[in-house]
Amino acid sequence: MHVFVLSYVFVGCFAFSMACSCFPQHPQVQFCNSDFVVKATVLERKPGNNEFRQEVKYEVNILEDYKNSYGPNRGRRAIYTASNGAACGSYFQLDKTYIIAGGIQGGIWTTYSCGLNGLYKSFSRYQRKAFKRGIYKRNCGCNVVDCTGVFGERKCLFQLHNQCFIRLNRNCWYAHNACTQSRYGCDWDTRSCRGSYKGG
């Protein structure tokens, strides 16, 4: 089972008595930790099979498969999730087009509210380009390290060649940039958010 799925199990357990708690992550990190990432239109919402807390089943029509290189998925597919937000379940509106990401176990696709899920039109132009042109996909060997927050600086004392640091303006980096392979290691893809470029 991939780390992505395990992290959701942890979050679900952590939040069983309260609302689901999600930690901010750059979309590139979420993409790379997912087993699938698709652009899909939601067709139906049905009762699930209750396996691994999958009480809800969404039937979707996959328009684009951003993660699977071999035999991309197209057409109708079932995606399962928990039934409520406290268990990190995702909610999708019918007849709307989303980016949906999640884990695959035993051929069953699952997704959670902490994942890379959102209405397609809510993603920035750069993010949509990063999905479509494989910018996130080709650069999973690079690691985005978010140095913001109370304990952020403790993990950002030394920068490795495969890392890109975020020290300021997290939202800008999330929406308008990706950490990509360069001649000397990993570096930010564009000059956007230049005020906190690389190490600060």
Side-chain angles (χ1 to χ4, degrees), residues 48-183:
N49 61 8
N50 265 343
E51 185 177 359
F52 304 113
R53 304 177 79 176
Q54 300 164 356
E55 299 95 346
V56 175
K57 178 172 75 171
Y58 284 99
E59 294 283 347
V60 305
N61 179 38
I62 296 176
L63 305 175
E64 294 187 71
D65 183 346
Y66 299 121
K67 194 75 189 278
N68 189 357
S69 300
Y70 306 100
N73 293 280
R74 291 288 190 274
R76 198 173 181 110
R77 160 72 65 174
I79 300 178
Y80 294 85
T81 191
S83 62
N84 59 74
C88 297
S90 291
Y91 174 78
F92 303 107
Q93 298 180 63
L94 300 185
D95 301 319
K96 300 288 187 179
T97 299
Y98 289 85
I99 297 293
I100 305 176
I104 303 174
Q105 184 182 17
I108 297 174
W109 290 30
T110 59
T111 191
Y112 298 81
S113 59
C114 293
L116 185 63
N117 295 335
L119 287 165
Y120 179 73
K121 64 182 181 181
S122 71
F123 287 86
S124 71
R125 180 179 298 179
Y126 180 86
Q127 289 169 330
R128 294 196 295 267
K129 180 180 77 171
F131 293 130
K132 182 101 177 157
R133 299 185 184 177
I135 296 173
Y136 294 149
K137 180 179 178 179
R138 291 194 306 272
N139 293 285
C140 285
C142 293
N143 185 26
V144 177
V145 182
D146 193 335
C147 305
T148 63
V150 178
F151 302 106
E153 286 298 325
R154 294 185 182 180
K155 59 186 177 184
C156 298
L157 297 177
F158 303 99
Q159 186 169 349
L160 303 179
H161 74 282
N162 68 333
Q163 294 179 328
C164 296
F165 281 0
I166 298 175
R167 295 193 186 277
L168 299 169
N169 202 4
R170 171 195 288 162
N171 291 338
C172 183
W173 293 110
Y174 281 24
H176 304 296
N177 230 321
C179 186
T180 60
Q181 295 282 350
S182 70
R183 188 181 222 173

Side-chain angles (χ1 to χ4, degrees), residues 1-12 33-36 52 54 102-105 108-112:
M1 187 187 301
H2 286 73
V3 173
F4 178 82
V5 178
L6 289 174
S7 68
Y8 279 143
V9 172
F10 169 78
V11 171
N33 287 340
S34 300
D35 293 329
F36 71 87
F52 304 113
Q54 300 164 356
I104 303 174
Q105 184 182 17
I108 297 174
W109 290 30
T110 59
T111 191
Y112 298 81

